Amino acid sequence: MRFLAIAFFLCLLASCAGSKSYSEHSGKNLHQILEEVSCPNTNDFRAAGVGGNESEALAQARSNMALEHFSQKLKSNIQISGQNINSVASSSAFINIDQEATLLNSQDAKLYHSKRHGEQIGVVACMSRADAAKGFMEQQRLIADSLELVSHSLLATEHPKQKNETWRRIQMLWNGFSRNEKLLNEWNAASPKYLLDSLNETYSKARDDYKNYCQKTKLHWNAEHENLYSNIAFSRLSQNLKMEKSVCKENGISLVYKHTEPDCSYKFGIYNCAYKPSLSVGSCEGIKYFLLENFAERTHQKQEFSLEKLQDSLKTIDFWKKWEQEIKEWSPQCE
């Protein structure tokens, strides 16, 4: 009898040891355990999350789902709020370009599996492709509405900088719509034909308008005094800007180069030659947009050498790049 009791006790110990080994799951952490859980439908989008409670874990899983399955395919996802669409002015639109896609209808990413591990809870969420498509379909309608509003703005303005900025917004909207549509097609879903036809027509009108604007809008360069210094300025700025020495006409942009002679002064045996170039940017009708100004100087014991040093420095000085970037904002972006 005593032998049986001892045997029974040893058996219990073995059983407990086995149970402990099983519960530790060979040392796997919660993330590793969740990796072994798959969605019932292999085509569903799947993501896992960990939190202090089930709600936190599910929110994390939904966020991970957006990052894992959508952001890589939509590098610059266009987010448009309803307020922006309803209140946008005729001259502008408000478009935020985010680097990470959001799960537009996150409530459709449903809890499938939950597991407590110590003080944390891990969950697996699943979302069907049909449910994922619903959010993007709604976004497509918002993008289409916004694109139509911005296109009206493009057709209504001839202001160079506004024209360029509006065209860039149209291109971002169009590219965002195209990326979404490609994704929807991969999920065997697509926007309604009437929406696609309307958007194509709107975009074509905007593209033709801007193309026509590009063909008739030029940068017209004129110097108040044609000399070595104005030629240096034209040579530097025309390297990356398409401009011509011509009379400003129609909807062109007038570039008038001013103050083209340096001033040299002599003091304490040194010649200081200073140069203050400026460029007036405006319309051919005489509207002044802005004035670019800068300053350069060089010194030497002889005036002619001081001037030579000044001329050499003007060929490589950095402020031309800043001028170029500013002028580009007003130049037609047609290439």
Side-chain angles (χ1 to χ4, degrees):
M1 187 73 179
R2 185 177 179 182
F3 175 80
L4 290 174
I6 293 172
F8 180 73
F9 179 71
L10 292 174
C11 182
L12 284 175
L13 286 177
S15 175
C16 290
S19 175
K20 182 179 180 181
S21 176
Y22 177 78
S23 65
E24 287 180 349
H25 215 282
S26 302
K28 290 184 179 179
N29 60 37
L30 188 52
H31 292 282
Q32 292 171 325
I33 295 171
L34 294 176
E35 281 296 319
E36 298 176 353
V37 180
S38 302
C39 291
N41 187 337
T42 56
N43 287 325
D44 284 357
F45 293 113
R46 175 204 175 279
V50 174
N53 54 54
E54 197 171 80
S55 296
E56 288 180 4
L58 182 57
Q60 184 61 53
R62 287 168 171 168
S63 176
N64 289 339
M65 184 175 292
L67 293 172
E68 292 171 16
H69 298 291
F70 304 130
S71 64
Q72 295 304 311
K73 294 182 179 179
L74 301 173
K75 283 290 186 182
S76 296
N77 194 28
I78 297 176
Q79 302 295 320
I80 306 166
S81 71
Q83 181 181 0
N84 286 341
I85 289 172
N86 294 329
S87 64
V88 64
S90 61
S91 61
S92 63
F94 304 97
I95 306 161
N96 298 320
I97 306 301
D98 296 331
Q99 290 304 309
E100 295 175 353
T102 15
L103 198 56
L104 301 176
N105 48 329
S106 60
Q107 71 280 358
D108 287 324
K110 297 180 174 60
L111 175 66
Y112 170 67
H113 178 81
S114 178
K115 173 74 175 178
R116 175 171 287 281
H117 190 77
E119 296 182 355
Q120 291 187 310
I121 291 181
V123 303
V124 172
C126 301
M127 186 181 194
S128 70
R129 290 176 178 258
D131 283 336
K134 288 191 300 185
F136 284 94
M137 293 284 282
E138 178 60 24
Q139 191 182 57
Q140 293 295 72
R141 285 190 286 271
L142 296 178
I143 293 176
D145 289 344
S146 209
L147 192 144
E148 184 164 352
L149 286 171
V150 181
S151 294
H152 286 317
S153 174
L154 180 79
L155 299 176
T157 185
E158 290 295 334
H159 186 278
K161 197 169 186 177
Q162 289 181 2
K163 195 85 169 178
N164 294 337
E165 290 173 351
T166 306
W167 174 241
R168 282 195 292 268
R169 292 190 185 106
I170 289 173
Q171 287 180 303
M172 285 190 293
L173 287 167
W174 176 259
N175 291 337
F177 188 94
S178 299
R179 285 192 296 267
N180 283 0
E181 202 61 30
K182 181 180 179 181
L183 202 59
L184 288 170
N185 286 327
E186 290 177 4
W187 300 340
N188 295 319
S191 297
K193 186 176 183 301
Y194 76 86
L195 184 66
L196 295 173
D197 290 344
S198 175
L199 195 73
N200 277 311
E201 182 180 358
T202 298
Y203 180 74
S204 294
K205 286 182 180 178
R207 182 189 57 205
D208 291 344
D209 176 82
Y210 194 76
K211 183 178 179 181
N212 180 59
Y213 168 75
C214 285
Q215 290 173 344
K216 66 182 183 181
T217 303
K218 298 180 180 180
L219 296 179
H220 300 275
W221 174 275
N222 286 282
E224 286 186 342
H225 303 286
E226 190 78 27
N227 60 13
L228 172 65
Y229 298 96
S230 65
N231 288 335
I232 289 174
F234 180 80
S235 176
R236 281 301 309 271
L237 293 173
S238 62
Q239 286 179 7
N240 297 310
L241 292 169
K242 192 175 181 179
M243 57 177 66
E244 59 183 42
K245 295 180 178 181
S246 58
V247 177
C248 197
K249 58 183 179 180
E250 296 182 1
N251 293 322
I253 297 171
S254 173
L255 305 175
V256 180
Y257 192 68
K258 302 183 177 185
H259 308 299
T260 55
E261 291 291 344
D263 294 320
C264 294
S265 61
Y266 182 76
K267 192 173 184 180
F268 304 119
I270 297 293
Y271 282 95
N272 180 74
C273 292
Y275 186 62
K276 299 178 180 179
S278 66
L279 184 69
S280 173
V281 181
S283 70
C284 292
E285 289 78 17
I287 299 173
K288 302 300 181 184
Y289 297 138
F290 62 96
L291 182 68
L292 291 168
E293 296 179 294
N294 226 294
F295 177 81
E297 64 178 348
R298 290 295 182 270
T299 60
H300 197 272
Q301 289 86 353
K302 294 184 178 181
Q303 181 173 331
E304 61 268 28
F305 289 159
S306 179
L307 286 171
E308 285 181 12
K309 288 172 65 178
L310 178 63
Q311 293 160 9
D312 289 340
S313 69
L314 286 173
K315 296 174 183 178
T316 58
I317 204 163
D318 285 340
F319 69 70
W320 298 122
K321 295 179 181 178
K322 296 180 180 178
W323 283 27
E324 178 187 314
Q325 290 304 314
E326 183 63 34
I327 296 170
K328 275 184 177 180
E329 292 296 314
W330 297 76
S331 307
Q333 306 297 312
C334 312
E335 301 298 332

